[in-house]
Amino acid sequence: QVQLVESGGGLVQPGGSLRLSCEASGNFFRINNMNWYRQGSGPERELVGTIGRGTYTNYADSVKGRFTISRDNAKNTVYLQMNSLKPEDTAVYYCNADVLTTYPQRLANYWGQGTQVTVSS
């Protein structure tokens, strides 16, 4: 079994910054892509950004230039640095990862439980 645990959410004023973390634990060989999603007031989860095992990153247009994804493979952790936050960034942020598990050996997708980010004055 694999667990993803997010941390770092909270309340921040517009223009402020927050850093989210997501640590993976459990039995696995390797973590491939790691992603951050968010779900605001609407029904759909939005893909915020993706990071591969190397240098590949990709971002939603709505966060380009403001958010940065990074990862520490030794710690099985992915980060989301969020700067210049806007009220429309308010959402529950979810970590998601493609993981090669040990037993059974398979590539599976996992989600964290989410962390609330509220941007408000």
Side-chain angles (χ1 to χ4, degrees), residues 70-89:
S70 59
R71 65 190 284 176
D72 185 334
N73 291 329
K75 296 181 179 179
N76 298 315
T77 300
V78 62
Y79 306 96
L80 182 65
Q81 178 66 44
M82 304 184 293
N83 299 328
S84 302
L85 281 161
K86 305 174 181 179
E88 51 263 45
D89 294 318

Side-chain angles (χ1 to χ4, degrees), residues 24 34 48 56 63-64 66 71 89-90 102 104:
M34 302 186 84
V48 175
Y56 171 79
V63 306
K64 280 181 182 176
R66 299 189 297 122
R71 65 190 284 176
D89 294 318
T90 295
T102 52

